[in-house]
Amino acid sequence: MYLIVGAGISGSVLANLIADRLNEEVLIIDRREHIAGNCYDSKIENITVHKYGPHIFHTNNKEVWDYLSNFTKWRYFYLKPNVMIEGNRVSLPFTLKTLRELFSESMAERIENKLITKYGYGVKVPILDFQKSKDKDLNFIGKFVYENVFKNYTIKQWGLKPEEIDASVTARVPIYISNDARYFQDKYQAIPQEGYTKLIENILNHKNITVQLNTDYKDLPNTKEFKAIFYTGAIDEYFNYQYGELPYRSLKFDILTIDKEYYQKSVVTNYPNDYDFTRITEHKYFLDEKSNNTIISIEYPQVFSLGKNERYYPINNEKNDKLYNKYLTLSAGRSRESKKIENVYFFGRLGDYKYYNMDLAVERVLKLFKEIFK
Ligand code: FAD
Ligand code: UDP
């Protein structure tokens, strides 16, 4: 029998692969009282609520899409969030459309022409690139987006200055020289028709899989009997924090029922400069659920503190990645691809300490499975 720690999407997909393709038995445990990890959703008053924040599945990876499609039908869904800028609700990502929503026609047209001439249509330019620009308008727009979309949202979200965070995070909010108002441009974008929890339930529904909830790895009496252990929890916790704690970011969600049909015009509204929260999600939009009430969640970033809240985001930067790599050496792994301590493998958002979206988490598992059981 194999043991999998964590019944999030990473652990669950691996459980299914081992159970189904190898016809081997799997015990999968989770210390929470539910499956699905941070993708968990559940109904509150007939509305499917994403308990741990808005989750939109998006990928360019056909193998990942096809694999998950074995377990769910999809509702195609394009995230088109809004962002509050100086009291105006405008579209995000910052596109040519946003320019027109914010500025006079002549100004928007002038900047649009300069952007297209310099970078070309359909190009995503990281906002930091504009700071080097000698053109007054391009320099202005770079600074404007930095100040009004990026800077304070990032400080709130990460508790760090933008320059203290990995550039891949900043690159997630470019100026997109396009009229395409979708937040993601991936080929496949959808929400599982019956929700994420049902998707994970279907993945785990196999005669060779036993699910045990409310069970922490450290409380298992005997782990020697397992053929291998696959661990999707935090690697620093596994090694008893012997080199110190890896930093994570957490969140607090205020989930509120509002007594009107709709609260806001889009599923997600970001608040970079206003208030202490970063975004408000209105959940009925995900599956286009009808109801006289609506449910929103207000998202407040927090420091992760052991025993007080959950780990949501690894904070990837040079210092923290170095500490992670120290733990990796303990696990005798040489790279993120092959981390192994005797028969224990680490993966998932916490095990790899990587800011994975769901598709990358699944891609990692499909590769890991091939690597180990080829
Ligand atoms: P997790 O979901 O964290 O699962 C790990 C599980 O292990 C948890 O259930 C935990 O309880 C359990 N565990 C840990 N330690 C132990 C232990 N010692 N014993 C027993 N159990 C243990 N991705 C997208 O693709 N699109 C999105 O729109 C998106 N939005 C997001 C919004 C927010 C606010 C957050 C936080 C994440 C978002 N993600 C999104 C990312 C997505 O949540 C992750 O990619 C995915 O959850 C990773 O799954 P995982 O199984 O690796 O980790
Ligand atoms: N970001 C920002 N302003 C926004 C949206 C995002 O500055 O309005 C930055 C911020 O640093 C955030 C990162 O971009 O943490 C990634 O944003 P994304 O929406 O992808 O975050 P997630 O859904 O993973 O929390």
Side-chain angles (χ1 to χ4, degrees), residues 164-255:
E164 292 169 323
I165 303 174
D166 200 275
S168 63
V169 177
T170 29
R172 284 173 82 118
V173 224
I175 290 183
Y176 185 23
I177 306 171
S178 170
N179 286 307
D180 179 352
R182 296 173 305 166
Y183 202 56
F184 308 113
Q185 275 69 46
D186 303 59
K187 186 166 173 186
Y188 308 101
Q189 305 189 39
I191 310 283
Q193 239 177 46
E194 293 182 81
Y196 289 96
T197 307
K198 186 69 185 167
L199 162 69
I200 302 295
E201 198 182 301
N202 291 341
I203 292 174
L204 290 172
N205 183 14
H206 192 285
K207 68 174 176 24
N208 289 339
I209 300 178
T210 306
V211 182
Q212 205 174 297
L213 298 174
N214 302 304
T215 306
D216 198 308
Y217 173 73
K218 69 175 181 329
D219 297 330
L220 285 186
N222 184 8
T223 52
K224 296 260 181 307
E225 77 217 46
F226 296 105
K227 284 186 178 165
I229 297 170
F230 295 97
Y231 195 90
T232 71
I235 196 168
D236 53 332
E237 180 177 334
Y238 180 90
F239 288 111
N240 284 321
Y241 310 104
Q242 56 183 284
Y243 294 135
E245 282 181 39
L246 273 165
Y248 299 87
R249 213 55 191 155
S250 189
L251 298 166
K252 175 170 89 71
F253 296 97
D254 279 355
I255 299 181

Side-chain angles (χ1 to χ4, degrees), residues 92 149-150 153-154 157-158 172-173 183 270 279 313 355:
L92 187 76
V149 181
F150 190 68
Y153 188 105
T154 298
Q157 171 74 1
W158 298 99
R172 284 173 82 118
V173 224
Y183 202 56
N270 288 2
R279 58 185 172 189
Y313 297 90
Y355 191 177

Side-chain angles (χ1 to χ4, degrees), residues 101-301:
E101 287 166 344
L102 278 168
F103 303 115
S104 70
E105 212 180 307
S106 61
M107 184 172 172
E109 201 177 304
R110 195 175 72 235
I111 299 177
E112 172 171 335
N113 285 337
K114 286 190 178 173
L115 286 169
I116 296 175
T117 308
K118 174 126 203 255
Y119 298 99
Y121 186 82
V123 176
K124 286 182 182 167
V125 187
I127 47 173
L128 296 181
D129 283 21
F130 290 99
Q131 293 186 343
K132 296 169 221 145
S133 178
K134 292 206 173 66
D135 183 282
K136 221 166 79 231
D137 285 328
L138 296 184
N139 198 279
F140 160 78
I141 199 66
K143 276 203 186 108
F144 184 87
V145 179
Y146 183 83
E147 290 294 329
N148 286 291
V149 181
F150 190 68
K151 189 173 103 187
N152 289 324
Y153 188 105
T154 298
I155 291 171
K156 270 195 267 189
Q157 171 74 1
W158 298 99
L160 292 172
K161 294 199 202 93
E163 57 273 22
E164 292 169 323
I165 303 174
D166 200 275
S168 63
V169 177
T170 29
R172 284 173 82 118
V173 224
I175 290 183
Y176 185 23
I177 306 171
S178 170
N179 286 307
D180 179 352
R182 296 173 305 166
Y183 202 56
F184 308 113
Q185 275 69 46
D186 303 59
K187 186 166 173 186
Y188 308 101
Q189 305 189 39
I191 310 283
Q193 239 177 46
E194 293 182 81
Y196 289 96
T197 307
K198 186 69 185 167
L199 162 69
I200 302 295
E201 198 182 301
N202 291 341
I203 292 174
L204 290 172
N205 183 14
H206 192 285
K207 68 174 176 24
N208 289 339
I209 300 178
T210 306
V211 182
Q212 205 174 297
L213 298 174
N214 302 304
T215 306
D216 198 308
Y217 173 73
K218 69 175 181 329
D219 297 330
L220 285 186
N222 184 8
T223 52
K224 296 260 181 307
E225 77 217 46
F226 296 105
K227 284 186 178 165
I229 297 170
F230 295 97
Y231 195 90
T232 71
I235 196 168
D236 53 332
E237 180 177 334
Y238 180 90
F239 288 111
N240 284 321
Y241 310 104
Q242 56 183 284
Y243 294 135
E245 282 181 39
L246 273 165
Y248 299 87
R249 213 55 191 155
S250 189
L251 298 166
K252 175 170 89 71
F253 296 97
D254 279 355
I255 299 181
L256 308 175
T257 303
I258 307 282
D259 194 15
K260 56 182 184 182
E261 198 181 355
Y262 287 97
Y263 176 79
Q264 60 190 22
K265 290 212 167 67
S266 60
V267 61
V268 174
T269 305
N270 288 2
Y271 290 82
N273 285 347
D274 312 308
Y275 310 106
D276 298 331
F277 50 82
T278 47
R279 58 185 172 189
I280 297 184
T281 301
E282 184 164 5
H283 295 262
K284 69 197 307 185
Y285 282 111
F286 290 120
L287 295 170
D288 192 25
E289 289 164 322
K290 305 293 177 204
S291 151
N292 292 334
N293 293 341
T294 191
I295 295 182
I296 60 167
S297 54
I298 309 178
E299 210 167 313
Y300 294 85

Side-chain angles (χ1 to χ4, degrees), residues 6 10 30-31 38 52 54-56 216-217 349 356-358:
S10 300
D30 203 297
R31 62 183 168 202
N38 290 342
Y52 303 100
H55 277 69
I56 295 92
D216 198 308
Y217 173 73
R349 210 183 217 206
Y356 288 143
N357 283 332
M358 291 177 277

